[in-house]
Amino acid sequence: MDDTLFEFLHSEVVNYVVDSNISNKDKEEDLSNLEYIGFSVGYKIIERLTREMPRFKDELDTMKFICTDFWSAIYKRQIDNLRTNHHGVYVLQDNEFKFLTRMSKGKQYLELAPRYVAFTCGVIRGTLANLGINCLVTAEVQTMPGCKFHIQVHRT
Amino acid sequence: MARSSSRFDTKKVNSELVTLTYGSLVAQMVKDVENPDDVNKQLDRLGYNMGIRLVEDFLAKTGSGRCLDLKDTADKIQTAFRMYLGVQPNVANWSPAGDEFSFIIDSNPLTDLVELPEDLKGLRYCNIICGAIRGALEMVQLDIQSWIVQDQLKGDANTEIRVKFIRKLEDAIPAGEE
């Protein structure tokens, strides 16, 4: 299957969610449905991908897996940089995030960037949730097509 | 670091990704919209939007020219099915007038892992494909209708998508000219 299809489908998912909450115009855009769609995709796909794999050693090992194998399976490249404070905060940096590469190389359309990263935040959160890590995932875009995903693990 | 895509079959992952994303989208729509008929319309519209973009990608990648006749069109759509969905549908059931035909798909990747609950029998899950065909053909100046005749999700043996030729679209007259 050609991955163009996934890109086009993703942008239609974005359009659908943006169109469906057009009523609250003056407030900040609500992308929670988009994040939730991503969450269910991540939750389901990771279950199928890791079915035959041994258990991960620890949280860091899981994150490394997300940055390498998982990211290249889905976005055809690895995360460029992984940083952590060893207290449950991880920052994943992708310098050429797939959904942004065709939009701009710089600040143009920057205000629309949140729409194109929300799905992926959900995917990461869903993936980790199914691997037993509860967390909050946010994204930060300063210059397209680069994107940083911040993962904050909830500890109990 | 591990070499990229060392552990997974990327083709398969991509196909599952599309299947699951589409599934989650439909689930969200069913939640948002009460009436399955409205979901069908939304899916068709979404497919239409994808179709008008996909056709450009298709023409750029295959370098194919204009269709000579509807038979040729059917063959090209068949190629597109193989490129984008990884399935090879059969073209069959031509109408005597030669203006209608069907694509028969025996395993539809979009419906992998999908079961329709009883109360959603009115949902045409694969309507996005009909929309995509319509959108793509409109960009090459063919006005068609497309609908689902048989659906594996409703117990049929195959998925059958019917395409009916309506008319050729003429080049639009530039604004301001007669």
Side-chain angles (χ1 to χ4, degrees):
Chain A
M1 204 189 266
D2 193 295
D3 50 333
T4 320
L5 194 67
F6 177 57
E7 281 190 61
F8 285 5
L9 180 62
H10 173 262
S11 53
E12 287 309 318
V13 174
V14 173
N15 287 345
Y16 168 75
V17 172
V18 171
D19 288 350
S20 64
N21 56 30
I22 210 144
S23 48
N24 54 348
K25 228 173 222 158
D26 33 32
K27 277 182 249 157
E28 202 180 333
E29 203 159 46
D30 177 13
L31 297 171
S32 55
N33 280 347
L34 194 53
E35 208 260 2
Y36 179 70
I37 293 175
F39 178 87
S40 23
V41 172
Y43 198 91
K44 288 169 193 158
I45 203 159
I46 197 65
E47 195 162 272
R48 304 177 62 78
L49 289 179
T50 54
R51 195 170 37 193
E52 309 284 330
M53 286 172 57
R55 188 174 266 279
F56 295 110
K57 281 203 301 279
D58 52 25
E59 205 174 272
L60 187 63
D61 194 34
T62 314
M63 292 299 170
K64 282 183 183 161
F65 166 79
I66 300 289
C67 293
T68 55
D69 294 278
F70 181 71
W71 213 257
S72 42
I74 294 199
Y75 296 113
K76 309 293 178 289
R77 65 195 310 279
Q78 297 189 357
I79 283 286
D80 293 296
N81 192 311
L82 166 66
R83 277 185 297 172
T84 175
N85 66 356
H86 298 286
H87 291 286
V89 176
Y90 298 83
V91 180
L92 281 60
Q93 183 177 337
D94 187 337
N95 295 333
E96 281 170 54
F97 182 53
K98 182 168 174 160
F99 295 139
L100 299 176
T101 47
R102 292 184 208 277
M103 289 175 70
S104 99
K105 270 206 157 102
K107 307 265 183 212
Q108 196 187 11
Y109 302 127
L110 195 61
E111 71 281 8
L112 298 176
R115 292 180 183 181
Y116 294 89
V117 294
F119 173 84
T120 303
C121 288
V123 170
I124 300 174
R125 193 169 66 88
T127 303
L128 291 172
N130 206 346
L131 295 174
I133 301 175
N134 283 319
C135 58
L136 183 74
V137 182
T138 50
E140 174 192 350
V141 183
Q142 283 174 338
T143 315
M144 294 207 267
C147 182
K148 279 183 192 166
F149 294 95
H150 295 259
I151 303 174
Q152 197 166 1
V153 178
H154 295 310
R155 302 197 194 262
T156 42
Chain B
M1 270 206 185
R3 296 268 299 164
S4 57
S5 68
S6 54
R7 255 189 269 194
F8 303 121
D9 172 358
T10 32
K11 277 238 145 48
K12 189 161 164 279
V13 175
N14 201 287
S15 149
E16 287 187 353
L17 197 58
V18 170
T19 307
L20 291 174
T21 307
Y22 185 61
S24 303
L25 172 70
V26 177
Q28 182 65 42
M29 280 183 176
V30 168
K31 226 187 281 172
D32 290 346
V33 185
E34 289 282 307
N35 185 349
D37 275 342
D38 291 338
V39 178
N40 296 340
K41 273 183 214 144
Q42 289 265 23
L43 291 175
D44 184 81
R45 192 180 55 89
L46 237 105
Y48 176 84
N49 292 342
M50 284 178 76
I52 60 184
R53 298 179 70 193
L54 275 170
V55 72
E56 283 191 40
D57 187 72
F58 176 79
L59 294 177
K61 281 179 181 158
T62 58
S64 57
R66 279 189 178 278
C67 299
L68 305 168
D69 52 24
L70 207 57
K71 179 92 191 36
D72 195 19
T73 311
D75 286 347
K76 285 187 174 135
I77 301 175
Q78 198 182 26
T79 313
F81 265 108
R82 199 173 52 228
M83 268 175 71
Y84 295 111
L85 284 179
V87 291
Q88 174 99 344
N90 283 323
V91 180
N93 302 344
W94 282 88
S95 66
D99 64 342
E100 268 188 49
F101 58 92
S102 293
F103 292 110
I104 315 257
I105 311 171
D106 53 10
S107 76
N108 181 353
L110 279 189
T111 60
D112 271 355
L113 325 167
V114 178
E115 264 181 49
L116 277 190
E118 269 311 314
D119 56 327
L120 283 177
K121 288 294 175 205
L123 180 70
R124 292 197 289 277
Y125 190 84
C126 295
N127 235 14
I128 193 162
I129 300 181
C130 300
I133 295 176
R134 187 166 55 85
L137 290 187
E138 193 172 304
M139 290 298 113
V140 292
Q141 287 157 324
L142 289 172
D143 189 11
I144 59 115
Q145 268 178 1
S146 178
W147 65 96
I148 297 170
V149 184
Q150 289 190 68
D151 192 338
Q152 277 166 319
L153 289 178
K154 294 177 187 155
D156 297 320
N158 297 304
T159 300
E160 176 176 353
I161 294 167
R162 193 86 177 144
V163 176
K164 179 183 170 64
F165 170 79
I166 309 292
R167 66 191 172 105
K168 254 191 188 152
L169 298 166
E170 300 298 329
D171 274 330
I173 303 165
E177 283 178 42
E178 283 300 305

